[in-house]
Amino acid sequence: MNRAGPAAAPGLGLSEAEARERLRRDGPNALPGNRTRPLWAIAGAVVMEPMFLMLLCAGAIYLALGERTDAIFLLLSVLVIIGITLVQERKTQRALEALRDLSAPLARVIRDGREQRVAATDVVLGDVLALGEGERVAADAVMLEGLLEADESLLTGESVPASKSAAGDAVEVFAGTLVTRGRGMARVIGIAANTAAGRIGEALAATVETASPLQRASRTLVRRFGLAALACAVGLALLNWLWDGHGLLDSLLSGVALAIAILPEEFPVILTVFLALGAWRIARHKVLTRRLSAVETLGAITVLAADKTGTLTQNRMVVAELALGHDLFRVDGKAAPSAFHELARLALLATPVDSADPMEHAIRAFGAQHLSEGDRAFADSAIKEYALSPDLLAMSRAAPLAEGGFAIGAKGAPEAVMIMCRLDAAQEEAWNRQVHAMAVRGLRVLAVAAADWPGQAWPDTQRELPFRFVGLLGLIDPPRDGARAAVDECHAAGIRVLMMTGDHEVTARAIAAQVGLSDAPRSISGADIDALDDAQLAIRLAEVEVCARVKPTQKLRLVRALQQCGEVVGMTGDGVNDAPALKAADAGVAMGGRGTDVAREAAALVVLDDDFASLVAAIRQGRRIYDNIGKAVRFVVAVHLPVVVLALLPSLLHWPILLMPLQIVLLELLIDPACSIVFEAAPASARIMRRPPRAPGESPFRLANLGCGAIQGAGLAAILAACYGATLLLRGSQELARGAVFLGLVLAVLLLVLANGQPAQPLWRITWRENPWLPGLLGAGAFMLALLAGVTPLRAAIGLHGVGGEALLLIAALASLCAVWLEGIRRVLCRWKPSLVGN
């Protein structure tokens, strides 16, 4: 993970070999407590779930009845379900651990004489930390150089930052504190539990994953269903015993079966698995989810307020245009015409070799591509420089000529260079028109001038040199390659993109047009924002695509104004001052590459590569995850309803008991992986980014979605119950009716997986390649059917008998009727309620 940076002073810091040895000797810089949850603890939590407690009760009742084979089979089946649940839980845990590793803070250290970024856990004793504004201190350290202020409220409770200077004796900075101002170097003297934070409490290192709103809603729903299941189970047991004349233990078994059928214990599993694995899938698109609730929010974003620099653009300057009066050269990979060589050579001469300014880096890169080696060597031979000053935004550099004297190149703000060249009004007006035309195209414009000097006494200021105006240089931070396509995708998805930048309005509008925000982008400036009250600002924001000359402190007000209009706001930011707005946004997005630690901690999401297209890909994944949760919830409701009906109806109609706990356990072997693995991997709808965002209050547990599942299940229940009753009436065979209906129910479960996993297309059009888990589940279902139909001891163990040719014909008829019902419901939904099927 090491990333090399600028060179440091010789002898400062450790070598890589020393750091590796100390890491091996002392261990990672992490507090104990963030340990993997052991399997036995997960298994214990699973066994304490209501459904498993009821299954254990059923096993005990079988033993009391003397049915040892049934009891052993039931308990072994319970162990299989626990194993499936453990696999799901462990997969979820691994996904969360991977995300936690990605979100671990980075530290800047000096190693091998260079500044590098390493994981904070890899910081060792003796490392030299490079500290800057907005960064967390990775370990306890002693200041070596520099002056900074640190927020130590984590340790002291004091809100006023403490001053830290290398001038004092052994001045310490502490792990976990935040640098709020200044820069410095510090040598590490304490790591892990041996830091001040570690001595206060090792629990500081533990990351607690809080439940998301959907998870809390599902648990509430399951608790309510649990109470209803208990009441219904008791009622059914009493009904069977007192009214239907069944034995007490048989009645208790039927009550347990009903309770298991009613309890939708899959809901919490669905949400835990989907959100955790969804966050892991989003991380594969270079977007880190710091809070699981953000996965839910992604699909509801209606406004995406994005920084221009580095997010929509590449965060690097390039020379785009050169202007000589009316002659214009647009840089597009071709060699610059000879007429423009003087302008390029003078601009390079006026550019220092060791500058960190991105525009000067761009000029030097242009010179390396378009000028000869001799021209570049001449520019590097400069021996005299007039620096940029607040009262004159221009600089000059002079290089000696072979024939004697000096050639001077100057560059700077066009108005400053015009003053230095003493242009008349007509000349100024002509050049200003050109400057404005270039600015409208999104360019940052520099003017270039030239002068000759005999080499005698230099004047005190560059104003006194005899400059002549040469031309203009236009630079641009080019849009990212995928920015326009990503913006178009947002627009198609009903998401409004609002660009925020500190640039001038003219430049900002030009970039906005290039990335596709609008053909004629409208803007509002920071000054306008300050002049408007909240109501006026909300109205104005609805009319613009660009916020220009915006200060970080104004972003919080922008977020709140948008939210007051009912918008779900996603906002990007990278600085310390962006943190309040990132925290207030519905989905705060920090830039991982250039962002500060404070911004990352305040945000719910971190774009690791700072690319707007990555964020849009995450939104697409967020919508897919939400859609799949809805599919799984609908499936759970649909699959439970026929089981409930088939468990309850025989008692009400004085029919023989149909479903027993053993049979429901077998169904759970299909239901659990289907709802938590197969649906999680279901592919996105082709129209997922061509429909508007969902309403903020919408939920997979809304009545429309639950009702759709209930309609599916009610139809299947009616078909299966009618078959059971008709077979009992016409054939008088309880064994034939029970075997055919139960195996038909297994097939119905598989049909429900197909109907809800790909609701926008017919049942028979299976997306084998797009969902790798679907063939496995269908194969497992077919294998289960084969075992139940062909293995006599297994049928006898679960209470089924004699599955012959007549039963197979009956099963085929049941499957056909169920398929016709589900396909009919699917077509109705596609036409009348397309949002439920992902259209």
Side-chain angles (χ1 to χ4, degrees), residues 568-590:
V568 179
V569 182
M571 199 209 79
T572 69
D574 55 14
V576 175
N577 290 337
D578 291 334
L582 290 172
K583 192 169 184 179
D586 298 284
V589 184

Side-chain angles (χ1 to χ4, degrees), residues 330-349:
R330 287 193 170 93
V331 180
D332 55 3
K334 300 177 183 177
S338 57
F340 292 89
H341 279 193
E342 182 190 20
L343 173 58
R345 186 168 59 86
L346 289 166
L348 185 62
L349 174 58

